[in-house]
Amino acid sequence: MIEDDQRVGDMLLATLQLEGYSATRAWTGEEGLLVAQRDVPGIIIMDLTLPGMDGFAVVEQLRADLKT
């Protein structure tokens, strides 16, 4: 999950863990890209209005990484 809002991130993380999912949180788009490259997640839940690199830019980079 890529989420910069503490409250929203905590709620999502707790919900996912209660449902039995293993979840990792990244606070920024840049951090999310690093985590995605390292862990290769099955799904990414992401805030689109992140500071710095927004969610749209993260998606573009993830798609470009898949093509290489």
Side-chain angles (χ1 to χ4, degrees), residues 7 9 15-16 19 24-25 35-36 41 46 48-49 53-54 65:
R7 189 176 50 123
T15 301
L16 290 167
E19 294 298 322
T24 303
R25 174 198 251 160
V35 171
M46 178 172 37
L48 293 176
T49 58
M53 177 182 241
D54 69 19
D65 290 349

Side-chain angles (χ1 to χ4, degrees), residues 10 15 19 24 28 34 40 45 47-48 51 56 59 64-65:
D10 289 348
T15 301
E19 294 298 322
T24 303
T28 67
L34 293 173
V40 189
I45 299 171
D47 183 352
L48 293 176
F56 296 105
V59 169
D65 290 349

Side-chain angles (χ1 to χ4, degrees), residues 18-63:
L18 276 173
E19 294 298 322
Y21 294 97
S22 173
T24 303
R25 174 198 251 160
W27 294 89
T28 67
E30 296 85 356
E31 181 186 4
L33 287 173
L34 293 173
V35 171
Q37 291 168 348
R38 182 189 68 213
D39 297 343
V40 189
I43 190 169
I44 297 174
I45 299 171
M46 178 172 37
D47 183 352
L48 293 176
T49 58
L50 296 163
M53 177 182 241
D54 69 19
F56 296 105
V58 173
V59 169
E60 286 180 26
Q61 185 61 54
L62 290 168
R63 285 183 178 161

